[in-house]
Amino acid sequence: MKMESEIGRKPRSEHIYNEIRNAILYGYAGYLPGTLLNENKLAEYFGVSKTPAREALNRLRNENLVEVIPYKGYLVSNPTIQDLVEQFQMRVILETAAVEMAVQNVSAAQIEELRELTKGDKLYFPDDFRLNFRKVNLEFHTKVAQTSGNSLLTNSVRQVLELMQRALFHNFTEDEIELHHQEHRVLIQALEERNKELAVKSIQEQIELSKQRIFNYRNYQ
């Protein structure tokens, strides 16, 4: 009986963990940095006992996505400047390598898939253009990494980008998001032309511009 209860409990905990993790990483309302999460309320929301909710929150604590506030709950953590510096450093290393390989391996079909993501009409969240773009942007950069043909590199790129999602685009205007799409189109053109130098320059400039935008925003808060 114990084994059956463990088998039944773990999938619930896994589901709750994945749902809350996505909500934190994408910056859903109610899961922004500084928000206090209560395990009793989460257990009620997901229709489970407190144990699976607590297990999910502890996994998130181990990933530094939440921190324990004694007698209050779990606080959604805010990435520090040092966190962001290190994440941007990894982005440059990983995405530069991915683009260098992609120039040699990208297919015509993959080029078209990337173009579709720059049209601005792919809607995951119709009522929140910033949240929608965070999803589209993650998909775009993941697909660029996939064109490298290296699955380990692709997974590494996605992991770093997921960690950065909640810091990206919170204060973006629609015009700035269109500018971001234009930057993506330059990269696509370079990949299509097999222009390694331009592709590397494009991805590195995109990462540097994102870094400047985020740090400027932080400085004015």
Side-chain angles (χ1 to χ4, degrees):
M1 293 297 293
K2 182 179 179 181
M3 182 178 293
E4 290 178 357
S5 65
E6 288 293 315
I7 291 172
R9 182 162 56 82
K10 286 184 178 179
R12 290 197 292 272
S13 173
E14 185 77 17
H15 171 71
I16 296 168
Y17 161 77
N18 286 327
E19 290 290 315
I20 298 175
R21 186 175 187 273
N22 284 337
I24 291 173
L25 292 178
Y26 284 108
Y28 290 10
Y31 294 89
L32 293 172
T35 301
L36 192 66
L37 303 179
N38 181 282
E39 70 180 37
N40 291 328
K41 291 182 179 179
L42 288 171
E44 182 180 352
Y45 175 79
F46 286 104
V48 299
S49 67
K50 289 195 297 183
T51 301
R54 186 182 305 119
E55 288 177 347
L57 287 165
N58 282 330
R59 286 183 66 182
L60 294 165
R61 178 176 59 83
N62 291 335
E63 295 181 18
N64 297 318
L65 292 177
V66 301
E67 53 188 276
V68 177
I69 305 298
Y71 309 110
K72 291 186 177 181
Y74 296 77
L75 191 73
V76 179
S77 61
N78 196 15
T80 66
I81 293 296
Q82 185 59 33
D83 290 335
L84 293 171
V85 167
E86 293 176 1
Q87 289 163 8
F88 274 112
Q89 288 171 341
M90 286 303 298
R91 273 197 70 183
V92 171
I93 294 168
L94 295 172
E95 293 200 71
T96 296
V99 163
E100 288 176 341
M101 298 171 67
V103 167
Q104 301 177 26
N105 299 318
V106 67
S107 68
Q110 288 171 323
I111 289 291
E112 288 308 309
E113 289 176 0
L114 291 170
R115 281 208 173 98
E116 286 298 313
L117 290 171
T118 68
K119 293 181 178 179
D121 57 0
K122 186 164 187 175
L123 299 179
Y124 293 101
F125 304 96
D127 298 326
D128 189 333
F129 70 88
R130 294 185 184 91
L131 187 56
N132 190 73
F133 185 70
R134 285 202 289 277
K135 183 76 170 177
V136 171
N137 185 69
L138 176 61
E139 187 172 347
F140 177 86
H141 284 274
T142 301
K143 282 188 179 294
V144 169
Q146 285 174 343
T147 66
S148 72
N150 187 310
S151 59
L152 183 59
L153 180 56
T154 299
N155 290 337
S156 297
V157 168
R158 185 177 183 91
Q159 287 171 6
V160 172
L161 287 168
E162 283 182 337
L163 287 175
M164 302 184 76
Q165 285 303 298
R166 56 199 173 136
L168 298 173
F169 315 119
H170 281 297
N171 63 326
F172 263 35
T173 66
E174 291 186 79
D175 287 341
E176 287 173 318
I177 286 176
E178 176 53 33
L179 180 60
H180 222 71
H181 280 310
Q182 291 176 18
E183 294 168 2
H184 287 172
R185 294 182 193 113
V186 171
L187 175 58
I188 293 170
Q189 188 67 31
L191 292 175
E192 186 174 34
E193 294 174 356
R194 311 286 179 179
N195 188 329
K196 180 177 176 180
E197 183 178 353
L198 179 58
V200 168
K201 180 182 177 182
S202 174
I203 194 64
Q204 291 180 348
E205 285 182 349
Q206 286 182 38
I207 295 170
E208 181 59 29
L209 285 171
S210 291
K211 180 179 176 181
Q212 291 175 12
R213 288 163 180 158
I214 290 174
F215 287 180
N216 287 340
Y217 176 61
R218 285 290 186 103
N219 289 336
Y220 285 113
Q221 280 186 300

